[in-house]
């Protein structure tokens, strides 16, 4: 344990459970439903409403070998190729072999996928897939349908849910084992202010960290809270440098910030072409799959063409679909484009890459266990070894589904006893009753002012975006450390100007921590691999860098990066 925690008031209320699941996407709700079905007293904590996570924004679909002639082995091969030599093959095999039945169980839960005239599940292709194996719903509203089905199931099962609640830190007992979480309910939930859910098993399914960048497909809630909590608790993260930038995000202007509309890869899967301003299909000859190459290859090709032509964006041309196909197959995307003054039926769509998915995350084993006893992670917050250096399209929903079921099975088999959280550090040494910090080295984290959020996003976009270099990453590291030092200095001394604890301050403090760790890993990896693209190191270097980077945060809050000795995904060993 690091002894690091967010500056916050002590919990003023508490409830007890066997399991607390943090997050309400496909991973979190699947884990919660399976735990509850096993007779475990389960509490779901979610940052906004139950259906406000990243899952509902997933357009393309969920990948599984469900079609005639397709096999898990073929799905495995495509996943390994996309992962650029860093996938854990055992984890991928679990994904692709357990995936089809997991999807069928999801259908049994109430999810309705699009079907063919014969009643079979309709399947499409996306980048990196050699077969049609992407099941979709509502044309391009797959995530929304999955979220609807799981939320309905949670409500039907009458699970205890706490909405509008930001998780703060992990609680541990005297032996260093998980004993629950502290959280802050934001006015509309079941409790007011900071409280605690005490439970011997905690599942982090908090989604991604796309909000560390200025432009992202991620919703506003994706501020890396679960990864930051895990790092403060002493857990290891892995491969955080591999941030996937989706190639085709609706371009709204060079200064546009925040969540951007996604133009699903399924549009290219159905035959749309990437073209430059002159109408030239520049992906031809770049890869055997052209527009359906793995996402890192397409994002790099778009970025290169933009640089060559001094252009701010490229175009996705699907005018040949016609109005009927757009309206039936991609109604969500059609509406989003038209809302921004673009009609894809009659004109090409301006697109550019934007931050989309964290391939790395909290390091877990095949049962979702982290390096902290009793702490689990799944979904985008986790690093199971499935994605390697670049996630294969539509594997994310499947990963959340499969590994959430595995986590629930592990917790149900172990059924750890409840223990009392150890008392927090002495207030006199580390803080005051109102939650402000004195800035000591081993006490609460000095909070950043909410106004620092755009600065972090600009630093990360400029220094650790699609294109990276030693110089850009060094500059980003220094600017981030400067923000960290200034916050600590402002919270210390007789004239302390500590930031008042609150949701905005906690979020931006989490963003700073995950940004510092991401940049530390990206600086260490001196090669180009998957979605990590170093301008100054343009080649893949298997001899030295077909390795994983494991990062933890030392008690002095410094990111410590360790390179593994082989390409094998390192075993997860808990501290017990």
């Amino acid at each position: 344990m690091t002894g690091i925690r967010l500056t916050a008031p002590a919990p003023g209320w508490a409830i007890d459970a066997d399991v607390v699941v943090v997050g309400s996407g496909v991973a979190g709700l699947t884990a919660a439903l399976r735990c509850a079905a096993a007779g475990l007293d389960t509490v779901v904590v979610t940052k906004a409403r139950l259906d406000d996570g990243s899952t509902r924004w997933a357009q393309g679909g969920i990948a599984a070998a469900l079609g005639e002639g397709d096999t898990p082995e073929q799905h495995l091969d495509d996943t390994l190729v996309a992962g650029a030599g860093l996938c854990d093959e055992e984890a991928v095999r679990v994904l692709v072999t357990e995936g089809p039945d997991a999807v069928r169980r999801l259908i049994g839960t109430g999810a309705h996928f699009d079907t063919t005239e014969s009643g079979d599940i309709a399947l499409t292709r996306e980048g990196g897939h050699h077969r049609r194996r992407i099941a979709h719903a509502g044309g391009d509203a797959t995530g929304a349908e999955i979220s609807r089905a799981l939320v309905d199931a949670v409500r039907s099962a009458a699970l205890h849910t706490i909405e509008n609640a930001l998780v703060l830190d992990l609680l541990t007992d005297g032996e260093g084992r998980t004993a629950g979480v502290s959280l802050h309910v934001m006015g509309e939930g079941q409790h007011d202010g900071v409280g605690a859910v005490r439970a011997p098993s905690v599942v982090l399914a908090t989604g991604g960290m796309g909000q560390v960048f200025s432009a992202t497909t991620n919703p506003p809630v994706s501020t890396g809270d679960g990864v930051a909590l895990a790092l403060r608790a002493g857990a290891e993260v892995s491969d955080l440098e591999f941030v996937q930038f989706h190639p085709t995000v609706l371009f709204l202007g060079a200064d546009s910030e925040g969540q951007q509309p996604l133009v699903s890869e399924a549009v290219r899967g159905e035959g749309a072409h990437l073209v430059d301003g002159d109408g030239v299909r520049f992906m031809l000859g770049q890869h055997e799959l052209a527009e359906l190459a793995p996402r890192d290859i397409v994002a790099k090709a778009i970025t290169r063409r933009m640089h060559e032509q001094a252009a701010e964006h490229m175009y996705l041309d699907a005018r040949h679909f016609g109005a009927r196909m757009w309206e039936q197959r991609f109604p969500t995307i059609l509406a989003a484009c038209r809302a921004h003054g673009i009609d894809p039926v009659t004109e090409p769509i301006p697109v550019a890459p934007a931050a989309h998915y964290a391939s790395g995350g909290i390091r877990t084993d095949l049962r979702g266990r982290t390096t902290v006893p009793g702490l689990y992670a799944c979904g985008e917050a986790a690093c199971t070894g499935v994605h390697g250096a670049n996630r294969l399209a539509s594997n994310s929903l499947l990963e959340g589904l499969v590994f959430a079921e595995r986590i629930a099975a592990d917790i149900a088999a172990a059924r750890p006893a409840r223990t009392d959280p150890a008392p927090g550090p002495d207030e006199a040494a580390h803080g005051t009753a109102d939650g402000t910090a004195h800035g000591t080295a081993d006490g609460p984290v000095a909070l950043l002012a909410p106004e620092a959020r755009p600065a972090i996003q600009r630093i990360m976009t400029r220094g650790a975006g699609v294109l990276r270099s030693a110089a850009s990453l060094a500059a980003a590291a220094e600017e981030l450390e400067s923000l960290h030092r200034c916050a600590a200095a402002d919270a210390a001394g007789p004239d302390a100007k500590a930031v008042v604890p609150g949701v905005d301050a906690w979020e931006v403090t989490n963003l700073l921590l995950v940004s510092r760790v991401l940049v530390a890993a990206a600086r260490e990896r001196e090669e180009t691999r998957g979605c990590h693209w170093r301008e100054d190191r343009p080649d893949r270097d298997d001899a030295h860098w077909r390795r994983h980077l494991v990062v933890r945060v030392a008690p002095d809050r410094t990111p410590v990066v360790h390179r593994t000795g082989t390409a094998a995904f390192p075993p997860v060993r808990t501290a017990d």
Side-chain angles (χ1 to χ4, degrees):
M1 302 300 294
T2 64
I4 305 170
R5 67 188 192 284
L6 284 173
T7 299
W13 54 269
I15 58 177
D16 293 305
D18 296 319
V19 185
V20 56
V21 177
V22 186
S24 60
V26 62
L29 295 188
T30 299
L33 286 166
R34 297 293 182 270
C35 284
L40 296 164
D41 185 1
T42 305
V43 174
V44 177
V45 174
T46 188
K47 195 172 177 181
R49 297 188 306 274
L50 278 179
D51 61 353
D52 269 346
S54 293
T55 291
R56 64 176 278 215
W57 297 100
Q59 294 174 344
I62 185 167
L66 296 164
E68 184 178 351
D70 197 5
T71 64
E73 200 67 28
Q74 293 175 69
H75 190 183
L76 180 141
D77 289 343
D78 285 346
T79 300
L80 295 181
V81 169
L86 283 184
C87 295
D88 176 61
E89 187 167 340
E90 186 179 1
V92 178
R93 196 169 295 281
V94 165
L95 179 83
V96 299
T97 55
E98 297 182 10
D101 282 344
V103 172
R104 294 183 185 101
R105 284 189 289 274
L106 179 62
I107 293 170
T109 302
H112 300 293
F113 289 94
D114 296 338
T115 57
T116 65
E117 292 181 358
S118 62
D120 296 325
I121 296 174
L123 301 172
T124 189
R125 278 182 68 194
E126 292 186 358
H129 293 271
H130 283 78
R131 285 198 176 265
R132 286 182 170 265
R133 65 168 66 97
I134 315 300
H136 49 83
D140 58 358
T142 310
E145 170 58 17
I146 290 173
S147 180
R148 180 208 60 77
L150 291 173
V151 169
D152 285 354
V154 163
R155 288 176 174 152
S156 295
L159 264 66
H160 188 163
T161 61
I162 305 176
E163 298 180 285
N164 302 295
L166 173 65
V167 67
L168 300 177
D169 280 306
L170 189 72
L171 303 176
T172 55
D173 62 19
E175 303 299 318
R177 200 184 191 289
T178 292
V181 292
S182 58
L183 66 157
H184 174 78
V185 180
M186 298 177 273
E188 298 177 20
Q190 300 171 2
H191 306 273
D192 291 323
V194 175
V197 179
R198 298 182 299 219
S201 298
V202 170
V203 181
L204 296 177
T206 50
M209 58 184 73
Q211 290 292 328
V212 302
F213 296 98
S214 297
T216 177
T217 62
N218 289 192
V221 295
S222 297
T223 50
D225 307 314
V227 174
L229 176 151
L231 284 164
R232 286 192 298 272
E236 294 178 347
V237 302
S238 186
D239 301 343
L240 216 61
E241 68 272 27
F242 296 117
V243 177
Q244 187 177 81
F245 285 75
H246 198 287
T248 53
V249 175
L250 184 62
F251 181 76
L252 301 180
D255 298 326
S256 183
E257 296 183 343
Q259 186 178 9
Q260 313 287 301
L262 177 68
V263 182
S264 170
E265 198 149 327
V267 177
R268 282 175 280 139
E270 296 291 353
H273 303 145
L274 280 166
V275 298
D276 62 19
D278 298 321
V280 176
R281 282 185 67 187
F282 56 88
M283 284 306 300
L284 293 175
Q286 298 261 357
H287 189 276
E288 60 166 336
L289 295 175
E291 281 89 357
L292 286 177
R295 287 179 178 176
D296 63 308
I297 293 171
V298 180
K300 290 171 187 175
I302 291 174
T303 304
R304 283 196 192 100
R305 198 71 159 194
M306 286 164 55
H307 284 188
E308 290 168 3
Q309 300 188 345
E312 292 182 324
H313 59 81
M314 291 286 107
Y315 293 94
L316 188 64
D317 191 352
R319 289 175 290 179
H320 56 286
F321 284 6
R324 184 178 179 186
M325 181 171 174
W326 268 110
E327 290 164 1
Q328 293 184 352
R329 180 68 178 85
F330 300 111
T332 307
I333 299 169
L334 177 64
C337 288
R338 286 177 170 170
H340 292 283
I342 299 152
D343 188 350
V345 176
T346 60
E347 61 187 316
I349 306 168
V351 293
H356 183 57
Y357 190 87
S359 294
I362 307 162
R363 208 160 74 78
T364 75
D365 64 10
L366 298 183
R367 289 184 279 175
R369 299 180 300 183
T370 75
T371 52
V372 175
L375 180 65
Y376 296 79
C378 60
E380 191 173 354
C383 183
T384 61
V386 159
H387 303 308
N390 185 43
R391 175 179 66 101
L392 181 65
S394 288
N395 268 357
S396 52
L397 292 174
L398 191 71
E399 183 200 30
L401 197 61
V402 167
F403 285 89
E405 291 186 342
R406 288 182 145 248
I407 285 171
D410 192 72
I411 295 172
R415 295 185 180 269
R418 300 179 184 181
T419 57
D420 293 328
D426 183 3
E427 279 188 354
H430 301 309
T432 59
D434 65 359
T436 57
H438 295 318
T440 54
D442 58 345
V445 173
L447 301 179
L448 264 71
E451 299 77 49
R453 183 168 179 154
I456 292 172
Q457 292 170 330
R458 285 192 292 270
I459 291 166
M460 291 297 290
T461 299
R462 184 171 58 246
V466 179
L467 281 173
R468 302 168 177 177
S469 68
S472 76
L473 290 166
E478 176 52 37
E479 290 179 273
L480 294 172
E481 289 307 312
S482 177
L483 289 174
H484 177 68
R485 290 192 301 268
C486 288
D490 286 345
D495 300 319
K497 299 178 291 182
V499 174
V500 176
V503 171
D504 291 341
W506 288 321
E507 281 189 335
V508 74
T509 302
N510 285 338
L511 285 173
L512 178 61
L513 175 56
V514 295
S515 294
R516 291 171 65 221
V517 171
L518 191 161
V519 168
R523 292 183 76 184
E524 183 79 10
R525 184 172 290 280
E526 296 180 338
E527 64 157 357
T528 290
R529 181 184 298 272
C531 50
H532 172 67
W533 187 9
R534 288 280 297 258
E535 292 180 280
D536 53 334
R537 304 280 185 171
D539 298 321
R540 175 169 152 174
D541 180 1
D542 280 354
H544 298 95
W545 288 106
R546 192 166 172 239
R547 307 285 189 273
H548 297 274
L549 294 179
V550 177
V551 189
R552 60 180 177 82
V553 172
D556 67 358
R557 301 176 167 104
T558 303
V560 178
V561 184
H562 166 69
R563 183 179 2 170
T564 61
T566 70
F569 199 64
V572 172
R573 296 186 177 90
T574 60
D576 59 351

